[in-house]
Amino acid sequence: MSTASAQIGVTGLAVMGRNLARNLARNGFVVAVHNRSAARTHSLVADHGDEGTFVPSESLEDFVASLARPRKVIIMVKAGGPTDAVIDELVPLLEEGDIVIDAGNAHFPDTRRREAALAAKGLHFVGTGVSGGEEGALLGPSIMPGGSRESYEWLGPILEKISAKVDGVPCCTYVGPDGAGHFVKMVHNGIEYADMQLIAEAYELIRLGTGASAPEIGEIFAEWNTGDLESFLIEISAEVLRHTDASTGKPFVDIVLDQAEQKGTGRWTVQNALDLGVPITGIAEATFARALSGSVPQREAAQGTLVADAAPWSVEDRAAFVEDVRLALYASKVVAYSQGFDQIAAASEEYGWDIDRGAMARIWRGGCIIRARFLNRITEAYERNPGLALLLADPYFTEQVGQGVAAWRRVVSQAALHGVATPAFSSSLAYYDGVRAERLPANLIQAQRDFFGAHTYRRTDREGTFHTEWSADRTESEA
């Protein structure tokens, strides 16, 4: 191979980077590969060199020299400090117009900072969300690139070719400037938290309500996966529930410790929603549910101590109960997606990103963890009305969710009566009731705020902002 022959490069060859490099090579691109430990570079070429054309380098200098201009470098290292370290080492070797792509799970404020710093040096920085795990990286992920439009003109054809395809349409599109790509990936992960928690609550309700075994619930989930609930997460949940542990012969899920871990994207999503003032209650409760699962001292202190005062549970009509849970799960999932898209809209306005929410739903249809049948319906909803204020208010989802509201209420109320924690189901229903209410009790809260802090209030009968002299004669004045 001649020098400067590679069309794109990958530095950082752990599992995700290795698989992404293989995906690029399999799709006909000449791929420069580099890793701080040269052994991984040599291993990739030795094990998979027949999948395409790789240009290995042991030094970062040789790696950069092997790339055709404008150089396109994908960084696949741990988010945070390690990413900054690679960027600092890489930038002096690049020239104006070159493109640096961070395809890790970076926090979007870091991406905004890096994009501004590199733009000042004449370089393009592209924060790119990649979803699909190890398998997606190899076979076709959902890809969410941010950065400049100019950089996407160079990168788009490459990323679209290696992405998943649904109905021939790539699961990749330009998201928006600076941190938009990593922001959308963050919200994707927040929705993923909610989706997983809701599925776990559905499993728990059926298990406790009917006494069904894990394999039996796996069969129920497999059946659900043939209808409106069809999704990657329902599919793998059915597989997990039907799996038998080899060492004990018990259902695998029954021997897994009930402490769910997290890497931080759910927390970031909730923290940002608080900053933006967007109520993503289902996502927040799912995130806190993971935290609760890991709160071992608190759980140990509560077990056998806190009074349940719950009625014994015996479901008489199993089929009807399972159908209620299915309908409640669907409605709650729609709420989670609706809240996530509200957060994307708020951030898009706050940061001037102009994100197309319909396009985001379209690229999530394949490759990613939250891929689901009803994402087609979400895309259609935003195509009908790009400015849709609330996904739940789209006629299709209004009808679909409305058909399950009675079942949703039965499930949440029965869970409460029988002492079963359903934070995501319950908070999603509370959000649904809150957002549809003609009047909320926030009027009392605002009056309280004026009483103790002179924070003022607005009236229902005339324009203006007012304050009442609560500690004096209680006269009202216009603020």
Side-chain angles (χ1 to χ4, degrees), residues 155-395:
L155 282 176
I158 298 174
L159 298 181
E160 289 176 15
K161 189 168 184 180
I162 69 167
S163 71
K165 310 293 187 302
V166 175
D167 300 328
V169 178
C171 293
C172 173
T173 192
Y174 176 70
V175 176
D178 57 71
H182 275 144
F183 183 91
V184 166
K185 176 56 165 51
M186 178 190 77
V187 174
H188 164 286
N189 285 21
I191 294 171
E192 177 185 308
Y193 273 51
D195 211 341
M196 294 172 72
Q197 176 66 25
L198 288 165
I199 293 169
E201 290 179 16
Y203 149 74
E204 181 81 334
L205 285 163
I206 295 172
R207 184 179 71 85
L208 295 177
T210 70
S213 66
E216 288 174 325
I217 301 172
E219 293 301 326
I220 291 169
F221 280 17
E223 176 61 28
W224 286 357
N225 200 48
T226 64
D228 290 338
L229 282 173
E230 180 189 347
S231 67
F232 174 70
L233 286 171
I234 291 286
E235 176 188 340
I236 66 169
S237 297
E239 291 295 321
V240 168
L241 289 168
R242 292 185 294 192
H243 180 60
T244 300
D245 176 55
S247 62
T248 64
K250 297 179 180 179
F252 170 76
V253 73
D254 290 345
I255 57 92
V256 176
L257 189 65
D258 62 338
Q259 296 174 21
E261 298 177 358
Q262 51 185 307
K263 289 188 174 180
T265 48
R267 288 195 300 270
W268 292 344
T269 307
V270 176
Q271 289 163 352
N272 173 259
L274 290 171
D275 291 338
L276 294 173
V278 180
I280 57 165
T281 53
I283 295 170
E285 287 296 345
T287 305
F288 288 129
R290 291 199 191 187
L292 177 62
S293 77
S295 299
V296 177
Q298 292 81 5
R299 292 178 64 191
E300 288 178 345
Q303 288 163 15
T305 302
L306 300 186
V307 176
D309 198 13
W313 202 347
S314 179
V315 171
E316 295 182 2
D317 189 336
R318 173 170 167 164
F321 178 73
V322 168
E323 177 62 7
D324 275 359
V325 175
R326 185 189 72 81
L327 290 168
L329 176 58
Y330 182 87
S332 298
K333 281 164 69 80
V334 174
V335 166
Y337 282 75
S338 183
Q339 292 176 348
F341 280 105
D342 282 352
Q343 185 172 0
I344 290 172
S348 182
E349 182 175 355
E350 175 74 15
Y351 302 116
W353 286 336
D354 193 26
I355 298 175
D356 182 342
R357 288 175 291 172
M360 298 307 98
R362 186 173 64 248
I363 66 172
W364 287 348
R365 294 182 304 162
C368 72
I369 303 302
I370 64 170
R371 59 185 183 266
R373 177 185 293 190
F374 70 19
L375 280 162
N376 282 313
R377 298 294 190 175
I378 296 177
T379 298
E380 292 167 4
Y382 288 117
E383 286 175 348
R384 282 191 294 271
N385 181 3
L388 185 63
L390 178 71
L391 182 63
L392 284 163
D394 173 76

Side-chain angles (χ1 to χ4, degrees), residues 8-42:
I8 192 165
V10 178
T11 180
L13 300 176
V15 176
M16 285 291 289
R18 182 183 182 96
N19 282 0
L20 199 60
R22 292 173 60 195
N23 187 352
L24 287 159
R26 287 176 168 191
N27 277 280
F29 298 104
V30 178
V31 186
V33 288
H34 166 266
N35 193 76
R36 191 171 296 276
S37 166
R40 282 189 174 176
T41 308
H42 298 312

